[in-house]
Amino acid sequence: MSPKDAATKGYIVAGPSGVANVSKLEKFYEDYLNKTRNSITLARYTDEGDPTYVDLELNGEELLYTYDNSWDEFGGQNKGVRKTSCTQMGIRTGPRADSNGTEYFLTSCRDNIGYSDLDKKEYFLLFIDDNKNK
């Protein structure tokens, strides 16, 4: 599915061409803080245009996290669908590489299915660059 099609379907999209539907992630975070049920799908695209999908379901108490890199041609040997549950979602603002913005992540997860940041035991969700999203 193309980034445009994913955005039209309501997915939160991130890739070389920018981001779309970020307000849905912001709303999901508000619902997390209020322990309100919600679910979203992120479609993150590689430089080559291959999607990686992340499904998040908030049942009021925990976050069900599903990561699917089946479509990533350069995803390595461990391609497929992996799932875990987490109890914490966070945001932090500030620098990341040569940009400033807001980063969304999950932590306090039941299983290590391939942490994005092993030292912090976090799963990266999305970075919103302040300069590109004004």
Side-chain angles (χ1 to χ4, degrees):
M1 169 177 354
S2 74
K4 184 177 180 180
D5 290 341
T8 299
K9 286 188 169 200
Y11 294 8
I12 299 156
V13 178
S17 61
V19 295
N21 297 329
V22 172
S23 62
K24 290 183 178 223
L25 181 59
E26 293 165 344
K27 170 75 168 97
F28 186 87
Y29 185 71
E30 287 177 28
D31 289 343
Y32 158 75
L33 293 175
N34 294 317
K35 298 184 185 263
T36 304
R37 293 178 178 268
N38 195 349
S39 62
I40 56 173
T41 299
L42 288 86
R44 300 185 310 218
Y45 289 84
T46 65
D47 290 339
E48 297 81 22
D50 298 333
T52 299
Y53 298 105
V54 171
D55 290 318
L56 289 175
E57 182 179 338
L58 176 60
N59 65 16
E61 295 300 320
E62 64 181 357
L63 298 142
L64 305 176
Y65 172 76
T66 304
Y67 177 84
D68 180 2
N69 67 344
S70 301
W71 304 95
D72 185 356
E73 185 177 342
F74 299 101
Q77 294 176 234
N78 296 321
K79 288 197 309 188
V81 177
R82 295 183 296 275
K83 299 179 181 189
T84 191
S85 62
C86 305
T87 58
Q88 301 291 311
M89 181 177 183
I91 61 172
R92 63 179 148 251
T93 57
R96 181 174 183 176
D98 59 355
S99 299
N100 278 309
T102 303
E103 180 177 7
Y104 289 80
F105 60 92
L106 299 178
T107 190
S108 298
C109 300
R110 181 174 295 152
D111 303 300
N112 175 0
I113 60 168
Y115 287 121
S116 306
D117 186 326
L118 185 57
D119 293 335
K120 294 179 183 176
K121 295 186 177 176
E122 291 178 352
Y123 293 108
F124 168 80
L125 297 174
L126 188 66
F127 178 77
I128 303 164
D129 188 328
D130 288 343
N131 295 323
K132 293 183 179 176
N133 297 298
K134 289 186 176 181

